Amino acid sequence: MLTDKIATDMKEAMRAKDAARLSTLRMLKSAIDYHKIEKKQEQLADADVTAVIKKQIKQRQDSIEGFEKGGRADLVQKEQTELAVLKSYLPEELSQAQVEEVVKATIAELGATTKADMGKVVKAVQTKVAGRADNHLVSQLVSASLA
């Protein structure tokens, strides 16, 4: 399970005295624990853990953008380091070409022709790519394909 891998990696970071990785993993573990409490579950499925990781990644990306606007290069670097650690726990992302293929296949499968079908197509594509593609990219490609 993904939570076990995170716990193991946290121990390894402690042994290696890798402070940046350790603090990021502690933050991630805390977010996962908070999500467990929120969902009232003892264990989370890997899909739930992946959702928490994606949420943390989104927060880092937003922070990087804000710090860059504020001219805080030191904080940008810290956030980018955390972002790299978090991304290492996600499955490999699909390329844009691969996502385009899935979008085209899904549109053909559903028989979608207009923008009115966009919602059901996006939902179907997101289910097929299962977190291996950025939702914003999926939405853009579907919108372009249904023009």
Side-chain angles (χ1 to χ4, degrees):
M1 290 196 63
L2 203 48
T3 52
D4 297 336
K5 180 172 175 22
I6 292 168
T8 302
D9 290 352
M10 206 162 88
K11 289 175 191 171
E12 288 175 11
M14 279 186 229
R15 287 186 192 114
K17 298 189 186 326
D18 187 349
R21 185 171 182 81
L22 180 60
S23 70
T24 304
L25 291 175
R26 281 183 173 157
M27 170 278 311
L28 179 58
K29 185 177 181 318
S30 174
I32 290 168
D33 289 343
Y34 181 77
H35 193 74
K36 277 187 210 174
I37 292 167
E38 199 175 82
K39 293 284 186 181
K40 297 180 180 157
Q41 296 176 342
E42 284 295 313
Q43 283 288 73
L44 292 178
D46 280 352
D48 290 329
V49 175
T50 302
V52 172
I53 294 170
K54 284 186 171 213
K55 185 175 179 183
Q56 295 297 316
I57 287 173
K58 178 74 170 121
Q59 287 176 356
R60 295 302 167 290
Q61 290 169 335
D62 292 345
S63 295
I64 289 170
E65 189 177 307
F67 291 143
E68 283 175 341
K69 286 180 184 173
R72 296 291 310 266
D74 56 330
L75 295 175
V76 168
Q77 181 60 41
K78 178 184 176 287
E79 294 291 325
Q80 286 175 335
T81 302
E82 290 180 1
L83 187 61
V85 171
L86 292 169
K87 282 187 174 182
S88 71
Y89 290 96
L90 290 181
E92 180 134 356
E93 292 229 347
L94 297 173
S95 70
Q96 184 167 341
Q98 291 171 314
V99 176
E100 285 175 6
E101 288 176 26
V102 173
V103 167
K104 287 177 185 172
T106 305
I107 288 172
E109 186 179 299
L110 296 175
T113 55
T114 65
K115 292 268 187 189
D117 299 323
M118 187 169 162
K120 69 180 181 181
V121 174
V122 168
K123 187 173 182 175
V125 171
Q126 287 173 341
T127 303
K128 288 181 180 181
V129 298
R132 295 179 300 149
D134 181 49
N135 291 340
H136 184 66
L137 174 65
V138 169
S139 181
Q140 284 179 330
L141 292 175
V142 171
S143 179
S145 296
L146 292 175

